[in-house]
Amino acid sequence: MTDAAIAPLERLLAERACERLIIDFVHRLDLGDPSSVAELFTADGIWEWPHGNRRIAGRAALSEYLGTRPPDRLSRRLMTNILVTATSYLATYRVDGFSEGMVPPQHPTNVGHYEDRFRKVDGAWLLATRSTHLAFGTDTRRLASPSSN
């Protein structure tokens, strides 16, 4: 979404649609089908992580990348301070090796923010670009297998 002059009601509706897009993104990643997150990007959409020089371009590449998520990964992202025109803050809690039950509390794996650009395509708002900027981060912790307890 750009800051171009738009009517207040139209702006409100666009901001709400983009906020919902941000929330749908983390819902699909944490609780749904991660590879379906690619559907939330434009056909030429980009997700990049400037630190580490990682960049995935195009809906097909995004679907493939998101489909490689380990099936035993448990993650929860907290999204706050959503400023639709640019920035939303995130904290990711994540472990691999999850099978069931409750995981003991731990520090977040990542804390940072997303910088997003949105584009309206055929009446729907989609992500055109998402840049992930991590201020704090560590490798994903692997839980001990139940047989090793």
Side-chain angles (χ1 to χ4, degrees):
M1 197 163 91
T2 64
D3 287 333
I6 100 178
L9 181 57
E10 187 178 338
R11 181 178 187 85
L12 178 67
L13 293 172
E15 287 178 348
R16 181 60 183 120
C18 292
E19 180 182 20
R20 190 161 186 83
L21 181 62
I22 290 168
I23 294 166
D24 193 17
F25 181 98
V26 296
H27 176 78
R28 289 180 185 209
L29 203 53
D30 288 345
L31 298 173
D33 175 15
S35 63
S36 76
V37 169
E39 298 167 6
L40 302 176
F41 284 85
T42 58
D44 60 348
I46 296 169
W47 189 4
E48 63 184 357
W49 297 254
H51 179 76
N53 297 318
R54 191 169 21 153
R55 183 178 195 272
I56 296 103
R59 192 177 285 146
L62 285 160
S63 182
E64 182 179 335
Y65 168 76
L66 291 159
T68 64
R69 180 183 165 101
D72 63 353
R73 177 162 288 168
L74 172 68
S75 65
R76 295 295 184 269
R77 285 164 184 77
L78 305 177
M79 302 299 297
T80 64
N81 303 347
I82 298 171
L83 178 62
V84 171
T85 56
T87 306
S88 55
Y89 293 87
L90 70 111
T92 303
Y93 295 82
R94 179 175 63 216
V95 295
D96 286 345
F98 176 77
S99 58
E100 64 181 324
M102 190 178 301
V103 175
Q106 57 191 284
H107 295 289
T109 306
N110 296 310
V111 175
H113 71 277
Y114 294 125
E115 290 181 3
D116 296 324
R117 280 190 28 244
F118 303 93
R119 187 181 320 142
K120 195 171 188 179
V121 177
D122 296 329
W125 285 96
L126 299 171
L127 287 160
T129 62
R130 168 160 275 190
S131 293
T132 304
H133 300 270
L134 299 176
F136 305 95
T138 187
D139 292 333
T140 301
R141 182 175 150 232
R142 174 155 285 284
L143 299 174
S145 65
S147 60
S148 65
N149 289 333

